[in-house]
């Protein structure tokens, strides 16, 4: 397995060491990287141009990280139409995945992944190490900022205005996170509903992959019963009020809270309906 299409391409097609050149007739290539559907189709076209249309290409991106890969408990997403044609590949993927975590996503080549929900960030060159790195989507002009700050020996608090408010606590950050998470959950699941994606399948995928959060798991059923309206979330008014209070505590620091502001607007809009 490799992480990106940039790693997969030379691994397969390098003139000196490319795996394609040594594959036997009717071999199968399983792409486990999270890549765009367009890239999968490009691979298919390239194999045909090399007169290797005999090679079967299976799109089966995974989630779970190195630890779950090592013990064979990954979440894997694949098209059932493709899987039915490749019995040996099915056996391999079953060994790599956790019980009931080999998800069959309807569609053909390139449609084998629910992970494509965040492909916008990958297309922009983000999320190279792990799903969580999509945070770079919000700072595209500084793609190394997260890593630089994480390894910096200089306290970041030096850049904040003085005096620092004593009102900001861990609970403040928690209230910001919960408010934003709930707004995102309601929006994403409403979008899935519009697309006709099965809610139980999406829950199972997200709850057992890198996108899982307590806000998602604990609010899912209430939001579903409420038609994915944000006001249906448990204690929606209380969450809204705590989010607003947390933002007021941060305001004296003059730190921008773009996502929190958007989430608060969504709470107000939903609760007013």
């Amino acid at each position: 397995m490799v992480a990106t299409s940039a790693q997969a391409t030379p691994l397969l097609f390098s003139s000196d060491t490319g795996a394609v050149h040594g594959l036997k007739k009717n071999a199968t290539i399983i792409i486990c990287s999270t890549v765009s559907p367009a890239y999968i189709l490009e691979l298919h076209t390239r194999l045909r141009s090399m007169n290797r249309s005999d090679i079967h290409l299976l799109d089966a991106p995974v989630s779970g990280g190195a630890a779950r890969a090592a013990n064979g408990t990954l979440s894997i997403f694949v098209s059932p139409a493709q899987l039915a044609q490749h019995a040996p590949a099915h056996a391999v993927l079953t060994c790599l995945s956790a019980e009931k975590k080999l998800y069959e996503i309807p569609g053909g080549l390139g449609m084998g992944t629910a992970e494509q929900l965040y492909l916008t960030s990958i297309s922009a060159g983000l999320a190279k190490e792990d799903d969580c790195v999509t945070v770079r989507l919000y700072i595209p002009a500084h793609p190394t900022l997260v890593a630089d700050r994480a390894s910096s020996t200089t306290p970041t608090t030096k850049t904040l205005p003085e005096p620092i408010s004593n009102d900001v606590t861990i609970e403040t950050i928690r209230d910001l996170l919960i408010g934003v998470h709930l707004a995102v959950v309601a929006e994403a699941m409403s979008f899935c509903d519009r697309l006709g994606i099965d809610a139980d399948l999406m829950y199972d995928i997200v709850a057992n992959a890198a996108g899982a959060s307590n806000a998602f798991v604990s609010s899912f059923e209430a939001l579903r019963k409420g038609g994915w309206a944000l006001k249906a979330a448990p204690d929606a008014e209380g969450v809204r009020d705590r989010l607003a209070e947390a933002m007021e505590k941060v305001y004296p620091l003059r730190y921008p809270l773009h996502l929190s502001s958007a989430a608060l607007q969504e709470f107000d809009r939903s609760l007013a309906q």
Side-chain angles (χ1 to χ4, degrees):
M1 293 184 189
V2 295
T4 68
S5 58
Q7 295 172 341
T9 298
L11 181 66
L12 293 172
F13 299 110
S14 171
S15 59
D16 296 325
T17 59
V20 169
H21 307 302
L23 290 179
K24 295 181 179 180
K25 189 176 179 61
N26 297 319
T28 297
I29 297 174
I30 304 176
I31 301 296
C32 292
S33 311
T34 301
V35 298
S36 71
Y39 177 73
I40 293 293
L41 296 176
E42 287 174 11
L43 291 184
H44 181 69
T45 300
R46 188 164 181 177
L47 288 172
R48 290 174 63 88
S49 71
M50 298 172 64
N51 294 319
R52 292 307 309 265
S53 57
D54 62 289
I55 295 177
H56 304 291
L57 191 60
L58 193 64
D59 178 29
V62 305
S63 181
R68 287 173 59 187
N71 59 27
T73 57
L74 290 168
S75 295
I76 304 179
F77 314 92
V78 66
S79 163
Q82 286 188 278
L83 205 56
Q85 300 173 20
H86 306 294
H90 189 291
V92 170
L93 294 177
T94 299
C95 289
L96 290 173
S97 61
E99 184 179 0
K100 297 182 179 180
K101 300 307 175 193
L102 179 57
Y103 297 100
E104 298 186 7
I105 309 299
L109 187 63
M111 296 297 117
T113 177
E115 297 271 52
Q116 308 299 349
L117 288 174
Y118 63 85
L119 270 175
T120 299
S121 62
I122 294 176
S123 297
L126 314 175
K128 295 179 180 178
E129 287 81 27
D130 192 69
D131 301 356
C132 63
V133 190
T134 53
V135 69
R136 292 177 182 167
L137 181 62
Y138 300 104
I139 47 174
H142 304 284
T144 64
L145 180 60
V146 175
D148 293 344
R149 288 295 178 87
S151 59
S152 174
T153 58
T154 303
T156 57
T157 52
K158 287 184 64 177
T159 62
L160 295 174
E162 297 290 348
I164 301 299
S165 172
N166 292 325
D167 292 333
V168 176
T169 63
I170 293 296
E171 286 71 25
T172 306
I173 307 302
R174 177 202 62 195
D175 292 337
L176 292 173
L177 286 170
I178 292 174
V180 171
H181 272 66
L182 281 177
V184 170
V185 170
E187 180 179 277
M189 291 309 304
S190 179
F191 183 46
C192 288
D193 185 60
R194 174 68 64 88
L195 294 174
I197 298 175
D198 182 75
D200 289 322
L201 175 62
M202 184 56 63
Y203 174 85
D204 198 28
I205 291 172
V206 174
N208 290 282
S213 72
N214 184 61
F216 176 81
V217 173
S218 63
S219 66
F220 185 86
E221 284 302 329
L223 286 170
R224 172 156 58 179
K225 291 178 181 178
W228 306 116
L230 189 52
K231 65 181 179 182
D235 190 26
E237 292 190 13
V239 173
R240 182 266 172 212
D241 291 344
R242 288 189 290 274
L243 173 61
E245 182 179 347
M247 292 175 65
E248 289 180 4
K249 291 179 179 179
V250 176
Y251 180 76
L253 303 180
R254 294 185 294 169
Y255 187 85
L257 297 174
H258 303 302
L259 297 181
S260 300
S261 298
L264 183 60
Q265 291 178 30
E266 282 302 297
F267 270 101
D268 289 340
R269 181 185 64 81
S270 184
L271 288 168
Q273 293 177 343

